Amino acid sequence: MTMFGIRLLCCFLSIGTALTASAPPANRGFLHGKLQQFVDSLALPSPQRQALSNTLDQDSNLGAFLSGNDYQSFGLLVLACLSLRSILGNESVDTIPVNQTEAEANWSQSCWRAPTCLVIPESAQDVSKALKIIKFFKSKFAVRSGGHSPNPGFSNINNPGILIDLQKLNQIEVSADKKVARLGPGGRWGDVIAALDPYDLSVIGGRIPQVGVGGLILGGGFFHFSGEYGLAGDNVKEFEIVLSDGAITTANADRNVDLFWALKGGGANFGIVTRFDLYTIPVKNIWFQVTIYTPDQVPAILEAFAQWQNQGASDVKSTVALIVGLEATTVGLIYSAPADKPEAFDPFYSIPPAVVAVAPGNNTVLGLTNILGTTFSNIPQRHDYRGASSKIDVQLYKDVYAFWREQAVAVHEATGANMTFTLQPVPVNLVDQGNAKGGNPLGIPRINHQWWTTLVDWENAEDDEQVRAVPIATSEKWKELGEQRGSYIPFLFMNDGSRDQSPLSLYGAENLARLKEVSRKYDPSQVFQTLQGDGFLLSKV
């Protein structure tokens, strides 16, 4: 921390102390006992415990806060940050002004923030101490796994607030029997796939290697082989989680079963997950090809996609990655085993590509992941997602695409913004796999359908409203035309949700009520609903 930062901290602390007179003698014993109980809960070594106790005991601003009197809120937050630093160390806690590079590690510029302090825990025990302090001081906070969410405030927070960055909880371990991979939330999926490759294994995780582990799983997690094995959340054997009171526990099919169910797509509503134990899958060698098409070929591609959904998708080893851009359409045909031109993809073979980006052939999951990594840009930009769902309906696909393209081209010409039109196939087996593995809270309809999403990239904050108007209008068009045709599905995949959307509200009334019940049980003080800065929170539904 710079000398300016130290002076600023000291200034605010002295202001906080000066604002409130010392507690009356009758209250001093009560306040001292309350502070001592809190300090004892941290289980610190004796010298550290005594030093922290003395510091807190002498702070009259904290005394006013605990007594229910007027207090200086920023001074209280600074005291929380200094307490974190004294407990976890200078290397794990950066205080105001926070290192800009670390604070702005989020993928989207629209999510860059300047927290009051940045906490980088190295263990579940560190996370526990951090949450105990946040709860005691009632500090606003955010949690960042990989920081890939484009939604402002979901994985970062401005001053006044504390950011917990899980980047050092990035372990990747394979069990002795090779059936389970133990992953930290701060890892990246590219590292996970690379680590499992020598074992001839994979997991159901993230398709883009730069995406973080934690947020993707808690939102559900859609992977190349989800049609065969279910979502990433469905393939978790056990979660290790730190609850709002700092308790470290686990959730699995036998313990905390209700919490286990809730974590498989219920988002960041219940605690901070510090380890995911995922079942491995015996998939390494696969077949795939990647081809590029011109804009005039999009209708034919959409027809082939719908035909494959209705016929070829019954072969659950097959999946199609379809990304329509403004200038070109990319189609990835992926088969989860070695093959020679799988018949499942017959509808696509008759359409001549403009470019063969990756020739058809057998490769590996790691090879595919590395190819996808080259499509990811690290150039700082503003980003957004959005989602909508529908039944298989090729005319609906074409009509919404035509609407989207007209809007997207106009905004691109005005602002330079790029965006995609992506259909993600959801076969019945994806739902069946989730149900067979204990169920999840998403309430996905048990029919063959698709999840539309878009990736929007642009440069300037002043264009935010104009650019975001296109995906907003497109999602509304999915609903309008879909309802007219009886093809609309009121479901939103959380990982694709935009800041103003509400995926939890579409999980179904029974599942939503159950999620709220789980939240109240494991977070009775509702720390994650009232102190967490933002997100797809149950308190917002």
Side-chain angles (χ1 to χ4, degrees):
M1 184 168 62
T2 64
M3 283 304 298
F4 169 77
I6 293 172
R7 288 170 182 155
L8 185 61
L9 289 174
C10 293
C11 174
F12 274 108
L13 285 175
S14 63
I15 290 173
T17 302
L19 279 176
T20 311
S22 298
N27 292 336
R28 288 176 187 167
F30 167 76
L31 294 177
H32 177 77
K34 199 169 186 178
L35 286 173
Q36 198 60 49
Q37 184 180 21
F38 163 65
V39 173
D40 289 346
S41 75
L42 298 172
L44 303 173
S46 182
Q48 197 177 24
R49 181 174 68 246
Q50 190 59 50
L52 179 62
S53 181
N54 290 341
T55 299
L56 299 182
D57 206 26
Q58 295 169 14
D59 192 282
S60 58
N61 188 50
L62 177 59
F65 166 71
L66 295 175
S67 300
N69 297 321
D70 292 337
Y71 65 95
Q72 206 279 327
S73 59
F74 185 70
L76 191 69
L77 179 59
V78 169
L79 183 61
C81 288
L82 290 179
S83 300
L84 282 163
R85 194 168 197 177
S86 70
I87 293 168
L88 301 180
N90 294 348
E91 294 300 315
S92 295
V93 181
D94 188 15
T95 51
I96 194 169
V98 170
N99 180 285
Q100 186 175 1
T101 302
E102 290 283 4
E104 297 179 353
N106 294 69
W107 172 55
S108 177
Q109 280 185 325
S110 58
C111 298
W112 289 1
R113 297 291 187 269
T116 312
C117 61
L118 170 65
V119 182
I120 305 178
E122 298 183 6
S123 65
Q125 289 72 26
D126 285 356
V127 174
S128 171
K129 291 181 175 67
L131 275 177
K132 286 179 180 179
I133 288 172
I134 284 170
K135 181 180 179 183
F136 181 76
F137 286 95
K138 291 184 169 53
S139 303
K140 287 285 187 178
F141 73 99
V143 182
R144 181 167 69 196
S145 169
H148 197 261
S149 169
N151 295 320
F154 280 36
S155 57
N156 208 336
I157 193 168
N158 257 329
N159 181 26
I162 297 171
L163 173 62
I164 300 176
D165 188 319
L166 304 176
Q167 59 179 275
K168 289 189 177 180
L169 301 184
N170 60 355
Q171 67 270 28
I172 305 171
E173 302 170 357
V174 179
S175 64
D177 62 6
K178 300 182 182 180
K179 292 183 179 180
V180 175
R182 299 185 180 95
L183 310 178
R188 297 295 193 274
W189 287 110
D191 296 329
V192 173
I193 298 299
L196 295 177
D197 182 76
Y199 295 93
D200 297 337
L201 301 170
S202 188
V203 289
I204 301 300
R207 294 164 290 180
I208 304 300
Q210 293 87 348
V211 171
V213 167
L216 180 132
I217 296 178
L218 293 176
F222 185 87
F223 192 55
H224 309 298
F225 314 132
S226 284
E228 185 175 3
Y229 292 98
L231 297 175
D234 297 325
N235 287 273
V236 175
K237 179 182 180 182
E238 180 173 278
F239 299 89
E240 177 187 77
I241 184 171
V242 183
L243 303 177
S244 62
D245 63 356
I248 303 172
T249 190
T250 55
N252 54 47
D254 300 310
R255 183 183 187 192
N256 297 323
V257 178
D258 50 354
L259 180 60
F260 181 56
W261 171 85
L263 289 169
K264 295 191 287 184
N269 282 289
F270 312 99
I272 299 178
V273 177
T274 49
R275 195 190 73 237
F276 299 86
D277 293 355
L278 265 67
Y279 288 108
T280 59
I281 60 173
V283 178
K284 172 181 177 176
N285 299 302
I286 62 174
W287 180 96
F288 61 84
Q289 71 171 45
V290 181
T291 46
I292 311 297
Y293 301 86
T294 55
D296 63 293
Q297 292 179 293
V298 171
I301 292 296
L302 293 176
E303 290 175 2
F305 182 76
Q307 186 179 344
W308 167 78
Q309 283 185 286
N310 282 316
Q311 299 172 10
S314 61
D315 183 345
V316 295
K317 290 185 177 297
S318 71
T319 194
V320 176
L322 171 58
I323 305 171
V324 182
L326 295 178
E327 298 179 354
T329 293
T330 302
V331 176
L333 307 179
I334 305 168
Y335 199 79
S336 67
D340 181 14
K341 202 174 182 181
E343 292 183 8
F345 302 125
D346 278 351
F348 292 94
Y349 295 145
S350 62
I351 306 174
V355 176
V356 177
V358 179
N362 293 316
N363 205 306
T364 64
V365 178
L366 178 59
L368 176 60
T369 301
N370 289 338
I371 290 170
L372 292 172
T374 64
T375 68
F376 185 90
S377 174
N378 287 316
I379 298 173
Q381 285 184 304
R382 306 175 76 78
H383 304 286
D384 199 14
Y385 293 154
R386 201 164 190 87
S389 302
S390 79
K391 298 175 183 177
I392 301 171
D393 186 336
V394 68
Q395 191 58 50
L396 179 63
Y397 296 172
K398 290 179 180 180
D399 291 347
V400 179
Y401 164 71
F403 173 86
W404 167 84
R405 180 170 177 81
E406 181 180 357
Q407 307 289 319
V409 168
V411 168
H412 173 73
E413 291 174 350
T415 68
N418 285 304
M419 52 190 80
T420 62
F421 185 96
T422 298
L423 302 183
Q424 302 170 109
V426 185
V428 168
N429 192 60
L430 181 150
V431 182
D432 290 344
Q433 286 291 313
N435 291 335
K437 295 169 182 176
N440 63 53
L442 278 72
I444 305 171
R446 193 183 175 276
I447 57 172
N448 290 325
H449 62 286
Q450 67 82 26
W451 294 339
W452 170 81
T453 189
T454 181
L455 169 59
V456 189
D457 310 312
W458 71 102
E459 301 287 345
N460 300 313
E462 55 266 29
D463 295 329
D464 283 7
E465 185 174 345
Q466 182 179 7
V467 172
R468 293 190 67 243
V470 176
I472 290 172
T474 304
S475 63
E476 292 171 349
K477 187 61 68 173
W478 275 110
K479 185 176 186 214
E480 175 194 341
L481 298 182
E483 288 181 339
Q484 291 175 7
R485 298 178 58 83
S487 295
Y488 180 69
I489 294 177
F491 174 81
L492 173 60
F493 184 46
M494 182 180 287
N495 290 146
D496 295 332
S498 188
R499 65 194 78 169
D500 59 295
Q501 294 187 292
S502 180
L504 290 169
S505 68
L506 300 175
Y507 280 15
E510 184 177 341
N511 285 352
L512 180 60
R514 189 177 171 190
L515 285 170
K516 289 188 174 184
E517 181 181 348
V518 173
S519 170
R520 289 189 295 268
K521 176 180 175 180
Y522 291 92
D523 181 15
S525 299
Q526 293 291 276
V527 168
F528 283 87
Q529 305 305 316
T530 60
L531 295 181
Q532 190 169 202
D534 206 348
F536 293 126
L537 302 180
L538 290 164
S539 58
K540 294 164 63 176
V541 183

